Amino acid sequence: MNRPLKIGLVITAVLLGDLVIFGAIGSYVLGRESYSFDDNDLPRHLAGRWDWSNRAHPCGDSAHVITFSPDRRTMTIAMPPHPPRDSGWSATYDLLSLEPSRLRGAIRGEKRLTKGGKPVVWDLVMAGPNEYRWHRTDWPANSYTIGVLRCGADSTSGD
């Protein structure tokens, strides 16, 4: 076998080996980023009160409530009003996909745009039984917001 062919084969073997190693690491990392419930009923487990993990007094007046339409085509996130200082808010997401560990939704009336000029689309990804994180579809693959925690649940609960 001539020398250039041997060098080419060695380079190919090294690159394929690296590809397998990085693929395995990537699968491990990505697989750990999401959590699925045993019954695969994400809307049932998401319905309820949640709050951002960085709040000084989590699940107080900054908590929001997640609900789903009966046909599970929309999800609404609402913060109840806390007069007199705020009137509350709500956002309805048209669900584009629903998987055991994540959902993808487009906010009705979304004003934020991607660099391509399209309204942003959001992935809600379960990080554990009592925590989810947001990912914008135009963000890098492993970029997420801080966690959002279930109100009134301990970290070992399955619901």
Side-chain angles (χ1 to χ4, degrees):
M1 198 181 301
N2 65 25
R3 185 170 173 85
L5 182 58
K6 284 182 183 178
I7 292 171
L9 289 174
V10 168
I11 290 172
T12 301
V14 168
L15 290 175
L16 285 175
D18 287 347
L19 183 62
V20 168
I21 290 169
F22 287 125
I25 291 170
S27 292
Y28 176 75
V29 169
L30 289 175
R32 289 180 46 105
E33 287 179 357
S34 62
Y35 173 88
S36 297
F37 295 96
D38 290 340
D39 62 2
N40 293 325
D41 191 354
L42 184 58
R44 182 174 81 80
H45 294 282
L46 271 174
R49 287 182 74 231
W50 298 80
D51 204 355
W52 292 97
S53 60
N54 66 345
R55 296 292 187 219
H57 303 286
C59 296
D61 62 0
S62 63
H64 56 273
V65 177
I66 297 178
T67 58
F68 288 84
S69 63
D71 63 6
R72 295 181 174 191
R73 291 186 179 172
T74 63
M75 173 181 74
T76 299
I77 298 180
M79 180 187 283
H82 296 285
R85 66 181 172 90
D86 91 48
S87 59
W89 57 265
S90 71
T92 298
Y93 293 72
D94 290 309
L95 298 183
L96 307 174
S97 67
L98 181 59
E99 299 173 23
S101 64
R102 65 179 56 222
L103 60 78
R104 178 166 287 178
I107 300 174
R108 290 182 180 173
E110 176 67 82
K111 304 263 187 274
R112 293 166 289 190
L113 302 177
T114 65
K115 287 181 183 175
K118 305 232 185 232
V120 301
V121 173
W122 293 93
D123 291 331
L124 182 155
V125 181
M126 295 306 297
N130 297 308
E131 180 181 359
Y132 71 80
R133 295 172 186 261
W134 289 106
H135 168 77
R136 259 176 59 164
T137 58
D138 60 330
W139 288 350
N142 291 323
S143 296
Y144 295 90
T145 64
I146 61 168
V148 181
L149 304 176
R150 183 186 312 275
C151 295
D154 64 35
S155 60
T156 61
S157 167
D159 298 296

